[in-house]
Amino acid sequence: MKTILVIGGYGFIGTNILKYVEENFVDSYDIIVFDKFAKHPCGIECSRVIASYEGDFSDADVLERIFVENKVDLVIHSLSTTIPSKSFNAVYDVETNLIPTLNLLRMMISHGVRDIVYISSGGAIYGESQGGKHAETENPFPISSYGVVKLAVEKYMMQYSALYGLRPLILRLSNPYGLYHYSMRQGICNVAMRKALENETFEVWGDGQARKDYIFVRDFVAIMFMLLKKDVAPKVINVGSGEAVSVNGILGIIKNFVPEFEWRYADAMKLDVSHFELDTSLLKSIIGHYDFVSLDTGLSLTYNWAKTIC
């Protein structure tokens, strides 16, 4: 039995990781959660969670206590204190994301923990698309502080790999959506679905023609564990469905579920990447063919879940 420390375990992706482990790896993994909440704020429970630590990510003492009190085999880092469209304060991004992550890496090395999954960002890392798909080999040019910090974390992880034997699996994730998404700050699929169910008008940044890669969150989590089984670290890998869909296309599907749903267009946000597609050739070469949940099916599952919380 191995123990996974999930940083940000009660967030959107973290919760999906917890539930996936509970459903698929009952005899393989125990989970320790670090989050700003002592328990899941929406009452979601997971039988595989053996300990939960509450604290601010910048509090190095709490993180140190986790490694002192537990034998950790793998760290999954799924926490961020900012979002791309709101990351106007570079100093805050560095102080609350980059520096705490460096402290986390230092603690891992000192306690003999080498394996970490870092959930990075496809769109924020690469910046605006110039007409082609973004591959892991290109030179990223993030336009937000959020993306700059994500890229800096990636670089430090690879440096720690060369210096100390750290084994980072860095996943440049496209736009995830699906169950257990409670935030109304980001995530167009989930936020628009909630707005529709609550009979509120959704605001679109730009003209709705922007095309991005979207992935059902359960697909992402399944792929993450497939990659862990393949033992490919240290490695940077794009993870997405490989298909770009426009915002208007997403809203049209949601309107099929909620016919009275309305939206309006507003000026595009300067820090929001309007268009990007991920080249997933490397991912496919490692895991082979994967049947992604279609956007129609994924939004249907999201709709059925969202009805239970609205």
Side-chain angles (χ1 to χ4, degrees):
M1 185 77 73
K2 293 187 176 181
T3 300
I4 303 174
L5 168 60
V6 184
I7 306 294
Y10 294 142
F12 168 45
I13 294 177
T15 301
N16 277 278
I17 292 171
L18 267 55
K19 298 305 290 184
Y20 190 85
V21 170
E22 181 179 56
E23 295 166 7
N24 295 276
F25 298 112
V26 65
D27 296 321
S28 302
Y29 298 112
D30 285 328
I31 296 175
I32 298 169
V33 170
F34 173 80
D35 201 279
K36 62 182 178 180
F37 303 106
K39 58 182 180 180
H40 200 288
C42 297
I44 305 298
E45 296 182 351
C46 174
S47 61
R48 303 314 308 158
V49 174
I50 60 172
S52 182
Y53 289 79
E54 176 186 12
D56 188 286
F57 190 37
S58 300
D59 189 342
D61 291 338
V62 178
L63 286 172
E64 180 71 30
R65 186 157 59 89
I66 295 175
F67 288 97
V68 169
E69 296 177 353
N70 304 274
K71 182 184 181 301
V72 176
D73 299 293
L74 167 68
V75 176
I76 299 178
H77 185 347
S78 66
L79 184 151
S80 178
T81 62
T82 58
I83 60 176
S85 62
K86 302 295 184 182
S87 60
F88 294 98
N89 189 334
V91 173
Y92 179 80
D93 278 337
V94 169
E95 290 178 342
T96 63
N97 288 300
L98 178 56
I99 293 175
T101 299
L102 293 176
N103 284 331
L104 171 66
L105 300 184
R106 174 180 56 80
M107 293 173 199
M108 288 179 60
I109 298 303
S110 66
H111 289 277
V113 183
R114 296 292 187 271
D115 292 308
I116 182 169
V117 176
Y118 180 56
I119 301 176
S120 190
S121 170
I125 287 283
Y126 291 116
E128 292 288 355
S129 173
Q130 300 302 316
K133 293 187 176 183
H134 296 291
E136 296 88 348
T137 53
E138 77 174 65
N139 183 29
F141 194 78
I143 63 174
S144 66
S145 175
Y146 172 93
V148 170
V149 168
K150 285 281 190 183
L151 183 58
V153 169
E154 290 188 9
K155 297 297 186 182
Y156 275 115
M157 286 187 173
M158 285 306 187
Q159 182 200 38
Y160 275 52
S161 175
L163 294 177
Y164 309 114
L166 191 75
R167 290 167 37 84
L169 177 60
I170 297 170
L171 305 180
R172 291 179 175 170
L173 176 61
S174 66
N175 291 282
Y177 70 96
L179 282 60
Y180 309 121
H181 185 293
Y182 296 94
S183 172
M184 294 297 285
R185 295 198 307 158
Q186 68 169 340
I188 183 173
C189 293
N190 282 89
V191 173
M193 187 72 76
R194 290 274 296 278
K195 291 284 188 180
L197 288 169
E198 293 172 1
N199 197 28
E200 297 181 16
T201 301
F202 179 69
E203 183 174 270
V204 179
W205 301 337
D207 60 7
Q209 297 300 317
R211 297 172 62 83
K212 298 181 182 181
D213 185 311
Y214 297 87
I215 183 172
F216 191 58
V217 66
R218 188 175 178 86
D219 281 343
F220 165 68
V221 177
I223 288 170
M224 180 185 73
F225 278 101
M226 291 174 69
L227 290 170
L228 283 170
K229 186 176 181 180
K230 294 287 186 179
D231 193 26
V232 295
K235 186 78 75 175
V236 178
I237 304 173
N238 288 340
V239 180
S241 66
E243 296 184 8
V245 182
S246 72
V247 172
N248 287 335
I250 292 170
L251 300 181
I253 296 174
I254 294 175
K255 195 171 180 65
N256 291 333
F257 299 117
V258 187
E260 62 273 20
F261 177 44
E262 300 290 341
W263 57 88
R264 63 173 177 267
Y265 298 99
D267 292 340
M269 300 288 286
K270 290 183 178 180
L271 298 182
D272 183 56
V273 174
S274 62
H275 177 92
F276 82 91
E277 297 182 58
L278 295 179
D279 183 334
T280 57
S281 300
L282 176 59
L283 175 66
K284 293 175 182 177
S285 72
I286 296 171
I287 68 171
H289 175 74
Y290 183 87
D291 289 319
F292 288 92
V293 172
S294 69
L295 187 63
D296 289 274
T297 299
L299 287 176
S300 176
L301 293 169
T302 303
Y303 168 70
N304 291 329
W305 172 79
K307 286 192 299 183
T308 67
I309 64 171
C310 290

